[in-house]
Amino acid sequence: MSRTISVPFTSRRFPMPYRCPLCFEPLHAEATGLRCANRHHFDRAREGYVHLLPVQRKHSKAPGDDASMIQARRRFLDAGHFAALREELSARLLARQPGRMLDIGCGEGHYTGAFAEALAQTPANPPKITVYGMDISKPAVRLAAKRHRSAAFCVASIRELPYLDSSFDLVSRIYAPSEPSELHRVIRPGGELLIVTPGKRHLHSLRELLYAQVQEHDEEDPPPPGFALTDSAKIGHRMTLDGAQALDLLRMTPFAWRADESLRQQIAKRSRFDCEAEFLIRHYRRL
């Protein structure tokens, strides 16, 4: 039976990993949020997350996925269409038992929450596992923090991760972009990096609706600098969707920007849409 753990901002066994995004000094917990030695303060939202993306570091007024994309992804993932990937990743984390992990580009927290729930089943009192999630989209992080109380979330940029050096035993990157030097900085020596990318036939049928000629995804992906590949696997399955589910799938992908309203309506009216899901999973060790 799983148990829910409310993750505090700080812990005697696991000191807080956050650093100030303005001066890079360690952040410490206060009643209303986080503060560094230079008195930069960041409020904790009602949902429990902290906003660590200073306005001067934003490249737009509302960076990241918007509310419609986030809701589409939540509906699609909640329906279980990518459940095989979620279960596979959770099993891999259980086998590794990271003391503290980070999920970058966590979105609305679908995978982050699963990781926290899976790792919370390990016998420990107080709990040994702490899972962190971050995304640049404030609406996504708000949803994640509201639903998944067993993980700690923040709004931040991948370009400058708001975490101290060598803070994590494992970092996961599921379809998210990343800055390799920042990944290397926040993972401890000997720690792990878990990356999920599309297999060559991933969503091929969906892309056929958008492109005259569809190229398969390139599966070549050399290790990031400072990391060595230790394990890789591919999983995949066929999905049978109705029109509403197919439209949600489109909306949660970057391909949505290529679809005009006429195509969206055509997809929504379909009684059946068959599509491929194919994922590459790679584990790397930090050198």
Side-chain angles (χ1 to χ4, degrees), residues 3 13 38 41 49 75 77 83 108 147 162 168 185 193 246 248 274 282:
R3 53 196 176 97
R13 297 183 66 175
N38 291 322
H41 184 268
Y49 69 91
R75 288 191 299 268
L77 295 175
E108 80 302 333
R147 173 179 285 190
F168 298 100
R185 182 182 65 79
L193 173 62
D248 276 344
D274 294 318
R282 294 183 174 97

Side-chain angles (χ1 to χ4, degrees), residues 37-89:
N38 291 322
R39 304 189 66 79
H40 299 128
H41 184 268
F42 304 90
D43 290 334
R44 179 173 59 213
R46 178 178 57 186
E47 294 84 356
Y49 69 91
V50 285
H51 197 290
L52 299 177
L53 180 63
V55 64
Q56 58 267 44
R57 306 283 171 81
K58 290 184 178 181
H59 296 287
S60 65
K61 184 177 180 180
D65 293 346
D66 62 27
S68 64
M69 296 175 69
I70 295 160
Q71 292 291 351
R73 183 164 59 242
R74 170 159 283 188
R75 288 191 299 268
F76 186 86
L77 295 175
D78 279 355
H81 299 298
F82 287 177
L85 176 62
R86 178 171 166 160
E87 292 167 5
E88 174 67 21
L89 297 179

Side-chain angles (χ1 to χ4, degrees), residues 62-74 107-108 135-143 251-253 256-257 264:
D65 293 346
D66 62 27
S68 64
M69 296 175 69
I70 295 160
Q71 292 291 351
R73 183 164 59 242
R74 170 159 283 188
E108 80 302 333
D135 199 281
I136 199 170
S137 168
K138 182 178 177 179
V141 170
R142 181 187 292 120
L143 279 181
R251 285 171 172 163
M252 64 184 263
T253 69
W257 302 110
R264 291 170 186 263

